């Protein structure tokens, strides 16, 4: 019998060396499939990067039970919500995609622009990630009170991105050549009519949501490996009101 057991071990390996071997776990997908999701705004607060760029930190409670978190930058480090781009030989000014996205969300949730909501922030204590301490800590933040608990309808895309690391020589973040998968909020809709901000502004019937789903639903957006990183997301919106300074 012992000889037979040795033969089996030699054919298939030695087996476990103790009783502390970890149990098998089923795979749980961490990212969401590209789709349009219903939910509520669990938290939305104003924040700034270390370089001075304004952001909205968003937490959505989706109908599926999942919590979706994303930090959306709404200005550059100088506080501008716009950028210039040459079109047909002429310089034109455009709103930053992140600002358009959050301005649209403010319109859908509160029927106000993001700048209008700057006067209605209030202090709330939330749990945030401290990356230096590698732990969650409590922090007082400027919560955008009117947006909390409002219904939302959002397009979330699953996309590939190139991981980066800080380069001491150039003082910039550079690509590592390794790729990961993440989710990106790319569009917001009226939760009742499914219209975009542009469709609402132009008094048009809802059509873009279904068109977007037909084109992108369930698909992974691959990174452009010839340039590195994931492609920029673009969106449209109604024009906001005069800036307040917070966003």
């Amino acid at each position: 019998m012992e000889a037979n057991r040795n033969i089996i071990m030699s054919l298939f390996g030695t087996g476990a060396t103790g009783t502390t071997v970890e149990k098998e776990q089923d795979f749980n997908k961490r990212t969401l499939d590209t789709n349009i999701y219903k939910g509520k705004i669990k938290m939305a607060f104003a924040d700034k990067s270390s370089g001075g760029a304004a952001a909205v930190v968003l937490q959505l409670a989706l109908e599926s039970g999942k919590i979706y978190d994303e930090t959306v930058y709404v200005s550059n480090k100088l506080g501008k919500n716009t950028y210039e781009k040459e079109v047909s030989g002429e310089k034109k000014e455009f709103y930053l995609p992140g600002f358009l996205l959050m301005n649209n969300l403010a319109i859908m949730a509160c029927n106000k622009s993001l700048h209008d909501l700057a006067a209605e922030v209030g202090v709330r204590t939330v749990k945030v990630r401290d990356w230096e301490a590698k732990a969650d800590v409590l922090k007082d933040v400027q919560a955008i009170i009117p947006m909390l608990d409002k219904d939302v309808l959002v397009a979330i895309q699953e996309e590939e991105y190139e991981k980066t690391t800080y380069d001491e020589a150039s003082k910039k973040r550079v690509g590592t050549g390794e790729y990961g998968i993440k989710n990106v909020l790319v569009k917001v809709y009226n939760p009742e009519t499914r219209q975009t901000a542009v469709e609402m502004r132009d008094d048009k019937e809802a059509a873009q949501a279904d068109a977007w789903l037909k084109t992108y639903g369930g698909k992974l957006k691959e990174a452009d490996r010839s340039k590195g990183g994931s492609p920029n997301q673009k969106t449209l919106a109604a024009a906001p009101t005069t800036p307040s300074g917070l966003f």
Side-chain angles (χ1 to χ4, degrees):
M1 178 66 72
E2 184 65 27
N4 290 340
R5 183 172 182 274
N6 289 337
I7 292 173
I8 293 172
M9 288 177 62
S10 65
L11 286 175
F12 301 111
T14 61
T17 57
T19 59
T20 58
V21 179
E22 294 297 321
K23 294 180 180 179
E24 177 186 10
Q25 302 291 336
D26 287 334
F27 171 74
N28 290 316
K29 191 170 183 284
R30 296 182 64 181
T31 53
L32 297 166
D33 291 334
T34 299
N35 208 338
I36 293 177
Y37 294 89
K38 291 182 180 180
K40 286 184 179 291
I41 300 175
K42 185 176 181 180
M43 177 52 65
F45 65 86
D47 201 8
K48 283 190 182 294
S49 72
S50 58
V56 174
V57 180
L58 195 63
Q59 187 175 74
L60 304 179
L62 304 180
E63 278 192 346
S64 64
K66 288 193 174 184
I67 301 297
Y68 179 77
D69 300 281
E70 186 171 343
T71 298
V72 181
Y73 286 95
V74 298
S75 85
N76 62 19
K77 63 182 180 181
L78 299 177
K80 293 189 64 175
N81 300 125
T82 61
Y83 68 99
E84 287 187 346
K85 181 181 178 181
E86 191 170 300
V87 180
S88 301
E90 180 183 356
K91 275 191 176 182
K92 294 190 176 183
E93 190 173 22
F94 298 88
Y95 285 105
L96 295 169
F99 176 78
L100 289 175
L101 194 62
M102 290 299 96
N103 190 64
N104 283 350
L105 187 66
I107 291 170
M108 300 304 177
C110 308
N111 200 29
K112 293 183 178 181
S113 77
L114 186 63
H115 287 137
D116 288 337
L117 293 178
E120 301 182 59
V121 300
V123 177
R124 292 290 187 273
T125 302
V126 300
K127 189 178 290 186
V128 299
R129 189 68 177 175
D130 185 324
W131 294 106
E132 292 185 2
K134 297 182 179 179
D136 292 333
V137 298
L138 293 177
K139 179 182 177 181
D140 288 341
V141 299
Q142 298 182 80
I144 310 171
I145 305 300
M147 294 179 74
L148 305 185
D149 296 320
K150 291 295 195 299
D151 292 330
V152 292
L153 185 65
V154 296
I156 297 175
Q157 191 159 45
E158 186 178 35
E159 67 172 39
E160 186 181 44
Y161 70 98
E162 185 178 13
K163 297 178 181 180
T164 62
T165 187
Y166 185 74
D167 179 57
E168 288 289 348
S170 65
K171 304 299 181 185
K172 295 180 180 179
R173 297 199 68 83
V174 296
T176 64
E178 295 183 7
Y179 289 81
I181 305 295
K182 66 178 181 179
N183 283 127
V184 177
L185 183 66
V186 295
K187 201 78 177 177
V188 298
Y189 304 95
N190 184 303
E192 295 180 0
T193 67
R194 292 175 65 88
Q195 290 171 295
T196 65
V198 173
E199 287 170 333
M200 290 171 63
R201 181 195 66 196
D202 296 343
D203 196 24
K204 292 183 177 180
E205 293 185 0
Q208 200 276 341
D210 289 338
W212 186 87
L213 267 181
K214 185 176 181 180
T215 303
Y216 300 108
K219 297 177 183 177
L220 173 69
K221 189 166 191 175
E222 296 182 354
D224 184 351
R225 294 181 181 241
S226 65
K227 297 179 180 179
S230 59
N232 291 331
Q233 304 300 321
K234 297 182 179 180
T235 185
L236 298 172
T241 56
T242 304
S244 65
L246 183 60
F247 302 110

